[in-house]
Amino acid sequence: MNATALLPDPLPASSAAELAGRHLVLGLSGGAACFKAAEFCRLLVKAGATVQVVMTEAACQFITPVAMQALSGRPVYVSQWDARPGNNMAHINLSREADAVVVAPASADFIAQLAQGRAGELLPLLCLARPADKAPLLLAPAMNREMWAHPATQRNLRQVAQDGAHVLGVAHGAQACGEFGDGRMLEAGELLEEVIAFFTPKPLAGRRVLVTAGPTFEAIDPVRGITNLSSGKMGFAIARAAREAGAGVTLVAGPVGLPTPRGVARVDVVSALDMHAAAMRHAAQADVFIATAAVADWRPAAAAAHKIKKDGSGAVPALAFVENPDILADVARLPRAQSWPQPGALYCVGFAAESQDLLANAQAKRARKGVPLLVGNIGPATFGKDHNALLLVDEAGATELPRASKRQLARQLVAEIARRLPVAQER
Ligand code: CTP
């Protein structure tokens, strides 16, 4: 494959319909967070899902069925006595068609009703009547911090989780009531990420994945430094995909402004030395190490303590450089990495940012770094972009992942990595 074949095309950022073919019941119970459900509904539809909204009477106090009908493109159901269905059994019909029932917001009272198996109106009735194996129940709690912390709520949450509901987290922050604490509903985009993750197969369940991402910044003085054009997008997409695939993920990120993928533990670093220390520390607990970071090869030999000033003579500062440690090579030299493919070993994946001769360079780099899998890409064609193409080089040969969004490539790469891991051992 030549470099041109790997040039990303100028497509806009991925708008892939990740929920295409999914039919969801979106339930709203009463709470100020109902306004977020409107945006959430829109995002679900944009992601390709068909959405049937069901609201409680209390939810109708916060947002109208008209708004939710406009956003979902379907008439909203509120009453269990709604005569529209031919058999007058909305609770049966709606739950039989759904791939999942997502209740957002799920109020304290609604969760209490579920915990007791109550069915006083359509939404809890539908949850109770749904075939639990075919239509899983996801709950996005939303309530005041005192209600959230109350032992009764916590007891009810444990009960509904034990009964099979998938309870999403809550956020910490300012609440509609003016108080501050736990209990805010997740934002619409976070809920979408959770729903997509929920539907993703889990080939990395029980594995711990460590990812480095982004550039590093090597200080010259307190206000200047050298860095590179890496955006971190590929590494962040891989961290997200690994988490969706069931892994516990730690992301060691250089200086980038990207949001942390849901459920990923992020460690922010600045320099290559910081990144090296963080990666070595976290590698001890990892099963897979994926080095996507564009680590600066060199750093100024000594960063000046104060800003280097012009002296008016036209003289330029002489900068001396020293080489940074090779993070990937050092992790790959750890005894657990060397023991690959023995059970319990650490599987190391390197990236190669090249400007030409991708296959030859990737093969050479794989041997030099001593890693089982090396992923090649054309650096100038991918830095900062949303699309890329990858070339996977391992002992069996080379596999091309053709041009696609970094999101799609990350999911494919994670599947390729999962396929190469030995069957998980009992810990
Ligand atoms: N890498 C690293 N630490 C470094 C340099 C690179 O962990 N100090 C990792 C990168 O994260 C990537 C792989 O090594 O996974 C290859 O990085 P790349 O920049 O392509 O290659 P280099 O090793 O820097 O070699 P060269 O610049 O000569 O191509």
Side-chain angles (χ1 to χ4, degrees):
M1 182 166 49
N2 63 31
T4 322
L6 286 167
L7 282 177
D9 56 14
L11 291 171
S14 168
S15 57
E18 301 199 33
L19 293 176
R22 301 280 184 196
H23 179 67
L24 303 175
V25 167
L26 172 59
L28 280 67
S29 60
C34 277
F35 79 94
K36 294 186 190 174
E39 172 73 3
F40 178 43
C41 178
R42 221 174 146 260
L43 294 182
L44 290 172
V45 171
K46 267 176 88 174
T50 49
V51 180
Q52 173 60 60
V53 176
V54 178
M55 297 171 67
T56 64
E57 295 283 351
C60 298
Q61 297 289 324
F62 293 90
I63 188 170
T64 66
V66 174
M68 297 308 294
Q69 177 172 353
L71 294 167
S72 64
R74 286 167 175 253
V76 170
Y77 281 83
V78 177
S79 167
Q80 72 193 78
W81 312 120
D82 191 318
R84 278 174 292 173
N87 59 0
N88 211 311
M89 293 189 194
H91 63 295
I92 301 292
N93 306 348
L94 299 179
S95 64
R96 296 303 180 271
E97 290 161 2
D99 292 311
V101 177
V102 188
V103 181
S107 67
D109 179 62
F110 183 77
I111 294 165
Q113 291 179 53
L114 289 182
Q116 291 186 1
R118 297 174 73 93
E121 61 178 319
L122 178 59
L123 186 57
L125 170 61
L126 178 155
C127 291
L128 194 65
R130 77 189 206 286
D133 52 334
K134 296 205 192 72
L137 176 63
L138 283 76
L139 301 175
M143 66 198 73
N144 163 270
R145 67 192 174 109
E146 299 290 1
M147 295 167 76
W148 174 256
H150 197 286
T153 303
Q154 291 301 317
R155 188 168 62 238
N156 290 335
L157 283 164
R158 279 194 299 278
Q159 184 62 58
V160 295
Q162 202 180 315
D163 292 344
H166 183 78
V167 182
L168 305 176
V170 290
H172 179 85
Q175 306 200 310
C177 52
E179 296 183 0
F180 194 90
D182 287 335
R184 277 172 60 98
M185 189 167 82
L186 300 180
E187 299 303 320
E190 295 174 318
L191 292 174
L192 179 70
E193 261 191 65
E194 290 285 4
V195 170
I196 291 171
F198 181 80
F199 282 119
T200 305
K202 302 280 178 274
L204 290 182
R207 313 273 192 178
R208 294 154 305 178
V209 173
L210 173 64
V211 183
T212 62
T216 63
F217 178 90
E218 311 299 325
I220 294 172
D221 67 19
V223 298
R224 304 183 184 93
I226 56 169
T227 185
N228 60 62
L229 290 174
S230 166
S231 64
K233 286 178 183 172
M234 193 70 224
F236 275 60
I238 289 170
R240 177 178 172 187
R243 185 258 170 172
E244 288 172 344
V249 180
T250 301
L251 173 62
V252 179
V256 292
L258 297 174
T260 310
R262 292 256 340 128
V264 166
R266 175 171 179 170
V267 181
D268 281 318
V269 296
V270 175
S271 68
L273 288 179
D274 297 340
M275 187 176 276
H276 183 267
M280 296 304 281
R281 195 167 63 245
H282 289 279
Q285 290 89 45
D287 301 303
V288 179
F289 175 53
I290 309 173
T292 71
V295 185
D297 290 317
W298 306 280
R299 66 179 182 278
H306 296 287
K307 186 182 176 195
I308 302 171
K309 308 290 281 183
K310 283 178 285 195
D311 64 7
S313 70
V316 294
L319 292 178
F321 288 91
V322 293
E323 192 171 317
N324 274 323
D326 189 318
I327 301 168
L328 175 60
D330 283 356
V331 171
R333 271 193 289 268
L334 292 172
R336 278 185 57 239
Q338 292 284 313
S339 71
W340 172 262
Q342 302 303 315
L346 171 62
Y347 186 72
C348 290
V349 182
F351 264 67
E354 305 297 341
S355 60
Q356 58 176 351
D357 296 337
L358 190 54
L359 180 58
N361 276 317
Q363 282 169 331
K365 203 163 276 184
R366 174 176 176 267
R368 184 155 53 82
K369 303 266 180 177
V371 295
L373 178 62
L374 203 290
V375 183
N377 64 165
I378 298 293
T382 177
F383 278 7
K385 307 252 170 59
D386 290 315
H387 289 72
N388 197 4
L390 301 177
L391 187 68
L392 277 52
V393 178
D394 66 4
E395 86 283 355
T399 314
E400 188 184 342
L401 299 186
R403 223 161 31 196
S405 71
K406 288 183 177 177
R407 167 96 178 113
Q408 287 162 322
L409 287 173
R411 301 181 101 176
Q412 291 172 38
L413 177 60
V414 161
E416 292 280 348
I417 290 171
R419 213 162 50 72
R420 287 165 167 82
L421 298 179
V423 175
Q425 302 292 306
E426 289 294 322
R427 286 179 201 286

